[in-house]
Amino acid sequence: SRLVFYKRIASASNEQELYNLQTELIDRFGLLPDELKSLFKLSELKLEIKDLGILKIDASDKEIRFTFDEKPAVDIGKVIQLIQSKPKVYQFDDKQRFKVIKETQPKVRIDEIKSLLEKIK
């Protein structure tokens, strides 16, 4: 059933597992609907942020906020460079929270977040 697949996607422990699930779904049901593609993208993002030491990402229409753990695996030097380059856009809320003031539309929000992650890895 659909619920079983959703649970398998949500509990995937690595990108290869997600890829295998995606392949299995395409083999069984054909091309994936946009909603399911978004679910896979979100699951990939969750795996990536876990590896980077990001505890949580909050995203709204106006900003994206990252909450880091005690020792994130991001390049803090790159974060500081972003802040120095555009202090009205990139800011630290406190020592563990970094925010980006940027309007994003829901359809492209995951891609925006991934792009930001690439800048701070």
Side-chain angles (χ1 to χ4, degrees):
S1 81
R2 222 181 332 178
L3 188 58
V4 170
F5 278 110
Y6 290 152
K7 285 182 179 180
R8 286 178 61 196
I9 294 167
S11 65
S13 58
N14 59 54
E15 286 191 30
Q16 184 62 48
E17 204 172 321
L18 282 174
Y19 176 80
N20 292 344
L21 274 166
Q22 202 167 8
T23 303
E24 180 181 345
L25 284 169
I26 291 169
D27 286 348
R28 288 175 99 181
F29 304 110
L31 293 177
L32 302 178
D34 288 343
E35 296 81 10
L36 199 50
K37 288 179 189 174
S38 292
L39 181 60
F40 274 104
K41 280 177 128 178
L42 185 61
S43 295
E44 287 170 13
L45 182 63
K46 285 180 179 179
L47 289 172
E48 187 174 352
I49 68 170
K50 183 180 172 191
D51 290 344
L52 291 173
I54 299 172
L55 299 173
K56 181 169 84 165
I57 296 176
D58 295 306
S60 69
D61 292 343
K62 303 223 180 280
E63 70 180 31
I64 300 169
R65 189 180 309 252
F66 298 86
T67 303
F68 299 117
D69 66 16
E70 291 294 320
K71 294 183 180 175
V74 298
D75 186 335
I76 296 300
K78 288 182 179 179
V79 174
I80 291 169
Q81 282 179 337
L82 284 174
I83 293 169
Q84 289 172 339
S85 71
K86 294 182 182 174
K88 291 186 191 277
V89 175
Y90 302 102
Q91 303 169 1
F92 267 119
D93 274 356
D94 59 34
K95 68 178 184 170
Q96 285 184 265
R97 281 199 290 263
F98 171 65
K99 74 177 176 181
V100 180
I101 300 167
K102 181 177 185 171
E103 291 197 23
T104 58
Q105 300 300 315
K107 283 189 172 189
V108 296
R109 197 163 289 146
I110 291 174
D111 293 329
E112 288 282 341
I113 292 169
K114 284 187 167 221
S115 174
L116 285 164
L117 291 175
E118 287 302 316
K119 290 180 182 178
I120 62 175
K121 278 190 196 178

